Amino acid sequence: MQSMSEELKAGVLTAALPYIQKYSGKIVVVKYGGNAMINPRLKQAVMNDIVLLTQVGIRVVLVHGGGPEISATLKRLGIASQFLNGLRVTDMETMQVVQMVLAGKTNKDLVALIGVCGGRALGLCGIDGGMLLARQMKDAPELGYVGEVVKIDTRPILNALADGYIPVVATVGVDPSGAAYNINADTAAAEIAAALGAENLIALTDIRGLMRDVNDEGSLIPQVPLCQVEELIRQGVITGGMIPKVRSCESAVRAGVKKAVMIDGRVPHSILIEMLSDEGIGTMFVKEAAV
């Protein structure tokens, strides 16, 4: 592979400058999951992107899931994984594994990797400081210890940012009795972004974005006005595990987050491509259609 010339490097940096200025000092929430969490090369690229953005003055909050690692751990323990409408059925035994994997191993592995990349991170979960106050999902009690967010205390996140750390948030919530709940990471990221008044919510996925035909990557829908979401669900374009992802982007924009975008986490440095270029990548959710 030919190395980039010094002139080209300078051109890339110059082209990125307006975007760096636009986002400097602003909060950007990155929801991290899927293949980008499993592939070591992609994992390193994501953490490098986050450290770079932090170094140029952008306040990044990393919110992560860990579904594949939870499923793998459950399998090793002989516990079956079950899903309903894209959400994990979580009994007490499964909840203990979820908390152990998300708030323990996955969260601290990411903190360590950010450190390797030259950044400073602080691992948090929703239990810390009562950050994510939760309750059992009203509409789906059959899911067990799957929670919905009742209230967010942003102080642990804001304190970490103020002290120069990248907050890394595992989406385990807690109710007033101290019981832990598994909260969908896409949903939690949207609620956190809204509570923080974030400039941008970026959700990493395992596909190019929202596509009219999942088998045809050329059918990518680059922009979705919120008024079209229900119709796309009725048409079956948005289905299964994609529903909570789209709902999270929708709720974030409705709550005042300026931009919510679903991007392909399989593309190295997709976060930088999305934030620091004209082209962007994936599917952006907006309040109204462009005139």
Side-chain angles (χ1 to χ4, degrees):
M1 179 188 296
Q2 277 190 327
S3 62
M4 186 184 295
S5 71
E6 296 304 316
E7 183 179 358
L8 184 54
K9 287 179 186 177
V12 170
L13 292 172
T14 300
L17 181 58
Y19 303 97
I20 293 172
Q21 292 171 328
K22 173 185 175 182
Y23 286 110
S24 182
K26 304 291 180 59
I27 294 176
V28 173
V29 174
V30 176
K31 185 271 170 176
Y32 181 49
N35 193 54
M37 288 191 74
I38 301 169
N39 184 307
R41 181 176 64 93
L42 293 176
K43 199 171 185 178
Q44 182 90 28
V46 170
M47 296 307 118
N48 277 326
D49 287 359
I50 288 171
V51 171
L52 188 153
L53 293 174
T54 301
Q55 291 295 319
V56 297
I58 300 169
R59 305 165 75 198
V60 181
V61 177
L62 182 63
V63 179
H64 69 85
E69 192 156 8
I70 292 169
S71 294
T73 303
L74 288 170
K75 185 176 181 180
R76 285 196 296 271
L77 295 173
I79 304 171
S81 291
Q82 300 177 56
F83 293 89
L84 181 63
N85 295 325
L87 298 175
R88 184 184 300 275
V89 177
T90 308
D91 59 14
M92 176 62 77
E93 190 175 29
T94 300
M95 186 62 234
Q96 291 173 346
V97 174
V98 168
Q99 184 173 339
M100 175 182 69
V101 173
L102 284 188
K105 185 178 186 307
T106 302
N107 187 267
K108 301 314 175 188
D109 283 352
L110 294 174
V111 169
L113 184 53
I114 288 172
V116 169
C117 295
R120 295 200 310 159
L122 189 64
L124 301 167
C125 81
I127 298 174
D128 297 322
M131 183 170 55
L132 297 180
L133 185 64
R135 66 185 174 201
Q136 186 181 54
M137 287 188 72
K138 283 184 175 180
D139 298 334
E142 64 274 17
L143 290 171
Y145 288 88
V146 172
E148 57 187 16
V149 177
V150 175
K151 184 179 178 182
I152 296 178
D153 187 337
T154 59
R155 286 177 294 177
I157 296 173
L158 292 173
N159 289 341
L161 288 170
D163 288 338
Y165 291 98
I166 299 166
V168 180
V169 182
T171 56
V172 177
V174 65
D175 73 7
S177 74
Y181 284 85
N182 181 17
I183 301 174
N184 176 267
D186 294 291
T187 303
E191 302 239 16
I192 290 169
L196 290 169
E199 184 78 8
N200 201 348
L201 169 65
I202 298 174
L204 297 177
T205 68
D206 283 341
I207 57 175
R208 286 192 63 198
L210 181 61
M211 296 180 292
R212 290 197 175 276
D213 180 354
V214 293
N215 298 312
D216 178 11
E217 293 202 345
S219 66
L220 175 73
I221 306 173
Q223 188 176 108
V224 177
L226 298 189
C227 63
Q228 293 182 8
V229 169
E230 296 301 330
E231 180 60 27
L232 290 171
I233 291 174
R234 282 194 293 270
Q235 293 173 0
V237 174
I238 304 171
T239 185
M242 186 60 73
I243 292 176
K245 294 181 187 300
V246 171
R247 288 294 192 201
S248 69
C249 291
E250 177 189 21
S251 66
V253 173
R254 290 195 189 281
V257 176
K258 291 186 179 178
K259 182 179 177 184
V261 61
M262 190 184 299
I263 65 174
D264 192 344
R266 301 168 301 174
V267 176
H269 305 297
S270 56
I271 296 174
L272 296 185
I273 296 170
E274 167 56 35
M275 290 191 63
L276 305 181
S277 72
D278 281 331
E279 291 79 12
I281 188 172
T283 299
M284 179 171 66
F285 293 84
V286 294
K287 282 189 176 181
E288 299 176 356
V291 179

